[in-house]
Amino acid sequence: MTGPRNWLTTALRWVAGIAIAVPATLLLGASPAAAHPMPHSVVQLDVYQASVSARLELPVDDFSRASGIDLTKATSATLSARAGAIRAYLGAHIHPTTTQGRAWQVAVGRLTLSRAVQTDTGTYRELVAQAELTPPAGADVRHFTFDYDVIVHQVVTHTALVTVRQDWSSGQVDGEGATQVGTIRIDTGTMSVPALKVDLGAGSVWRGFVAMVELGGDHILTGTDHLLFLLVLLLPAPLAATGRRWDGLVGARSALARIGRITLAFTVGHSVALALTALGDISIPGRPVEAFIAFSVLVGAVHAIRPLFPGKEALVAGVFGLGHGMAFSFVLAEMHLSTGQLVTSLLGFNLGIELVQFLLVCLALPSLLALARLRAQPALRLTGAVLTGVAAVGWLADRLGLPNPVARAADSAGAHTTLLLVTLTATALATTAWTMTLRLRPRPDVALPPAEEDTAPAADPSLSRSGGQHVARR
């Protein structure tokens, strides 16, 4: 009986070994292409009033396989030699039409090569193409048919994700997020690529206005350089200047008046520049404007240390505010809005800036007034001014072409908006409570001088007053 049992045990061991070895061999021998999914294409749409701009992000390997234009070893320098063929191929495979079937015009523009990362596929090279899609006169840009089969018509496993990056009328204006419209892939039943029906809804001016208010508020809240310029200019507002030093206080009413004038002047300055630059369609280079803003922060920091223009802070805030307003206008210029949308956006964007600016000044106000009365005021003021000055120097160097870690650290501060608001709110509440406590605290009683004793002899009741003379009663 021992022999059959040993034979059966050996056979079972062989079967188990084969069952393990065969799948392991298949897995180890599989090609990387089979083990990892291929990257998909992305089509990002920017919806304007009279056209749609499309950004195509196409994996180079799949594009080369589908188009027959080999870009696997292409570089940015050699891409221009194939630009004509690439544009012709893309134009032949992008056919947007109205819902009634009328064709749109398609113009393929700038082509670039870059590297991209997708979660499932890792890093890969992609071709990025810009295309302008223009409907016939009077057609609706918010409802159309997107007949698109770039790559998909040849690589049956490929898919294209269509998203909307910017759509002013639906309130999507920051360009940060993307709303998915649909997915384009081959229909394995018919082996054809169905067109995508794009429906962006009705949209409204109100949505665009509200979105611009939010964008303006977010821009000033995350614009560390704008905030630092205003706050450092307000820092010495409660102080009196004596020669080349800050010495003494100007009183609460005078301090409030100064803070109000400085804030108002800065508001007027950047509002005027924003309106003129945006509505006048004035093209201004970004680098000089950004360097000018960094310089304004540096001037404000030096003034907080030593008075440079005491009593003229409002004038300086208004002049430098012009540069800050030009920087604000760059946000609107990138959105390619129509005249009506631009006017509405300008009002909403500026309103958002002013609302958040007013909130921040109100939160900082109690601390500014309380700080001026502390013995540690000079040390705290100098510390804040020096840190601001260091950030300004880093920004100035960076914007003149010298990147540095100081500028990167200062820019990253704008990402912590929640922490900023919480800190300002907590400080405002603490300083307000401290001020109220001092005012409500009972003052020590002032000791009164002791009452003088009446040393005159007590009046004799037997005496009566008559005509102002004492007459003895007999």
Side-chain angles (χ1 to χ4, degrees), residues 301-318:
V302 174
H303 178 67
I305 299 172
R306 293 286 184 185
L308 297 179
F309 35 82
K312 299 180 180 178
E313 290 86 355
L315 176 62
V316 174

Side-chain angles (χ1 to χ4, degrees), residues 56-365:
L56 314 179
E57 299 174 356
L58 311 170
V60 165
D61 290 342
D62 284 354
F63 179 83
S64 299
R65 187 178 302 115
S67 65
I69 305 171
D70 187 9
L71 298 179
T72 54
K73 297 181 179 179
T75 63
S76 298
T78 61
L79 183 63
S80 58
R82 301 177 176 88
I86 294 172
R87 291 191 177 99
Y89 169 78
L90 293 176
H93 293 274
I94 303 175
H95 299 288
T97 61
T98 66
T99 54
Q100 293 79 25
R102 291 187 295 163
W104 289 28
Q105 292 182 357
V106 177
V108 180
R110 189 165 179 259
L111 303 172
T112 57
L113 291 171
S114 65
R115 303 195 72 83
V117 178
Q118 290 180 7
T119 304
D120 296 335
T121 62
T123 305
Y124 62 96
R125 297 177 72 228
E126 70 177 9
L127 171 68
V128 179
Q130 297 289 342
E132 192 72 16
L133 316 179
T134 306
D140 186 3
V141 298
R142 308 190 60 78
H143 302 84
F144 61 95
T145 301
F146 194 44
D147 188 359
Y148 174 99
D149 64 352
V150 176
I151 298 179
V152 186
H153 72 295
Q154 288 291 337
V155 183
V156 296
T157 58
H158 194 79
T159 59
L161 301 183
V162 182
T163 63
V164 173
R165 182 178 59 176
Q166 177 181 317
D167 182 5
W168 187 90
S169 295
S170 68
Q172 192 169 343
V173 297
D174 57 6
E176 296 296 329
T179 302
Q180 185 166 341
V181 176
T183 303
I184 297 176
R185 56 167 55 92
I186 197 166
D187 184 346
T188 55
T190 62
M191 294 307 292
S192 62
V193 181
L196 178 66
K197 302 294 184 180
V198 177
D199 183 356
L200 303 179
S204 69
V205 175
W206 174 248
R207 289 184 182 179
F209 176 77
V210 172
M212 293 306 300
V213 173
E214 296 175 355
L215 183 62
D218 183 70
H219 192 72
I220 188 68
L221 192 59
T222 57
T224 314
D225 47 1
H226 304 297
L227 288 181
L228 281 183
F229 170 72
L230 182 59
L231 293 178
V232 80
L233 208 56
L234 295 177
L235 187 59
L239 305 178
T242 303
R244 301 292 294 175
R245 297 180 58 188
W246 293 111
D247 188 16
L249 303 176
V250 297
R253 289 186 178 180
S254 297
L256 288 173
R258 281 187 180 180
I259 292 172
R261 287 195 299 268
I262 293 170
T263 305
L264 179 60
F266 181 64
T267 298
V268 172
H270 71 65
S271 298
V272 170
L274 174 59
L276 291 178
T277 307
L279 297 178
D281 196 20
I282 302 174
S283 179
I284 300 175
R287 188 179 292 271
V289 173
E290 296 295 340
F292 178 78
I293 292 174
F295 177 72
S296 72
V297 178
L298 179 59
V299 171
V302 174
H303 178 67
I305 299 172
R306 293 286 184 185
L308 297 179
F309 35 82
K312 299 180 180 178
E313 290 86 355
L315 176 62
V316 174
V319 172
F320 280 123
L322 296 173
H324 288 254
M326 294 178 187
F328 293 152
S329 70
F330 296 154
V331 178
L332 300 180
E334 294 173 355
M335 299 176 67
H336 307 288
L337 301 173
S338 65
T339 303
Q341 291 176 340
L342 180 59
V343 172
T344 305
S345 298
L346 180 61
L347 295 175
F349 188 73
N350 203 50
L351 178 60
I353 291 175
E354 305 316 326
L355 289 176
V356 173
Q357 179 178 285
F358 179 75
L359 171 64
L360 294 175
V361 171
C362 289
L363 291 177
L365 186 60

Side-chain angles (χ1 to χ4, degrees), residues 461-474:
S462 62
L463 299 177
S464 63
R465 180 171 298 176
S466 175
Q469 297 179 352
H470 294 283
V471 178
R473 182 178 300 172
R474 292 183 180 180

